[in-house]
Amino acid sequence: EADIYQTPRYLVIGTGKKITLECSQTMGHDKMYWYQQDPGMELHLIHYSYGVNSTEKGDLSSESTVSRIRTEHFPLTLESARPSHTSQYLCASSDRDQPQHFGDGTRLSIL
Amino acid sequence: KNQVEQSPQSLIILEGKNCTLQCNYTVSPFSNLRWYKQDTGRGPVSLTIMTFSENTKSNGRYTATLDADTKQSSLHITASQLSDSASYICVVSDRGSTLGRLYFGRGTQLTVWP
């Protein structure tokens, strides 16, 4: 089993709040990713990182931001949550061409 | 446009039966194809990964096939169990970038009934 952890698993919060979704991996992987997944739809890449101090935007435009200060940690932040941000957010990591290992996701609901 | 299409969208089978899920892709250039299993409320878990030169790979009761010429893959599940109920996602990677960009299908939702 891959060791990649996301917290919280579920979050229900009001509009306008600042939110940070946590993602940590203990495998020493350089590459980390954030995906957004809506029910019945494909995963969309919103952010990725090659390593420490490296962050890039993915294919799907997102108002969220990320940081990579440590190899094992890749948090995602929404400065002001809106109902349109309601979704499931999945974090993943990989080492070279190995299959990506996914966390169990954070299901976010903005009221 | 690079795409991954999966069929059927959903499938219901009885426990103990076999089933086959399909994946067609237009991703080019091609690097590898992966099948993932995603249980409800969990993250995807890798089942198999195949490169251009591989045409079949097994993982227990799961057998994936790849026809790189026709750009088709299938996932065959043998002697299904209740725990096989999940979404099965086909993911294709290109080799057009150092990142190895992934293209995701929408998944086939499999339900196994007792």
Side-chain angles (χ1 to χ4, degrees):
Chain A
E1 291 290 325
D3 294 324
I4 180 165
Y5 307 101
Q6 290 187 243
T7 58
R9 289 294 314 280
Y10 304 92
L11 180 61
V12 180
I13 199 165
T15 298
K17 301 293 186 182
K18 180 178 179 179
I19 300 167
T20 296
L21 308 184
E22 301 289 349
C23 176
S24 296
Q25 51 98 3
T26 60
M27 297 168 285
H29 288 169
D30 286 328
K31 297 176 184 176
M32 295 190 73
Y33 316 80
W34 276 103
Y35 292 91
Q36 188 172 338
Q37 184 183 31
D38 294 316
M41 302 297 288
E42 63 267 46
L43 277 71
H44 290 285
L45 181 67
I46 52 176
H47 297 284
Y48 61 93
S49 168
Y50 289 118
V52 172
N53 294 326
S54 156
T55 61
E56 300 287 344
K57 289 190 178 294
D59 309 312
L60 183 67
S61 175
S62 174
E63 294 167 347
S64 59
T65 59
V66 292
S67 62
R68 190 85 183 276
I69 299 173
R70 303 198 314 267
T71 298
E72 63 271 21
H73 196 213
F74 192 40
L76 180 146
T77 299
L78 281 164
E79 289 293 333
S80 180
R82 295 207 301 268
S84 61
H85 297 140
T86 294
S87 187
Q88 175 163 257
Y89 293 84
L90 290 164
C91 179
S93 72
S94 68
D95 182 13
R96 296 187 179 181
D97 294 330
Q98 294 301 312
Q100 292 189 336
H101 303 279
F102 287 85
D104 284 335
T106 294
R107 191 170 296 275
L108 178 64
S109 295
I110 310 298
L111 303 178
Chain B
K1 180 181 178 183
N2 289 323
Q3 285 186 314
V4 177
E5 301 286 344
Q6 292 187 243
S7 62
Q9 183 176 353
S10 62
L11 180 63
I12 300 173
I13 62 173
L14 294 177
E15 186 178 15
K17 299 296 185 182
N18 303 335
C19 67
T20 300
L21 314 180
Q22 300 290 343
C23 174
N24 297 337
Y25 62 92
T26 60
V27 176
S28 181
F30 173 86
S31 176
N32 58 64
L33 184 146
R34 318 164 198 234
W35 282 95
Y36 284 88
K37 178 187 179 187
Q38 185 175 21
D39 292 315
T40 301
R42 305 296 298 272
V45 175
S46 177
L47 294 175
T48 63
I49 179 171
M50 289 183 292
T51 59
F52 185 88
S53 60
E54 298 173 297
N55 55 26
T56 186
K57 183 165 282 189
S58 293
N59 178 0
R61 294 180 296 103
Y62 301 102
T63 299
T65 65
L66 173 65
D67 186 335
D69 291 330
T70 62
K71 298 187 177 181
Q72 295 179 326
S73 176
S74 65
L75 181 68
H76 186 75
I77 304 175
T78 304
S80 61
Q81 300 176 357
L82 299 179
S83 58
D84 292 332
S85 295
S87 178
Y88 291 85
I89 303 172
C90 176
V91 184
V92 181
S93 175
D94 70 13
R95 51 183 171 83
S97 71
T98 56
L99 182 62
R101 168 137 183 227
L102 300 184
Y103 297 86
F104 289 81
R106 293 186 176 184
T108 291
Q109 184 65 48
L110 175 66
T111 303
V112 180
W113 283 2

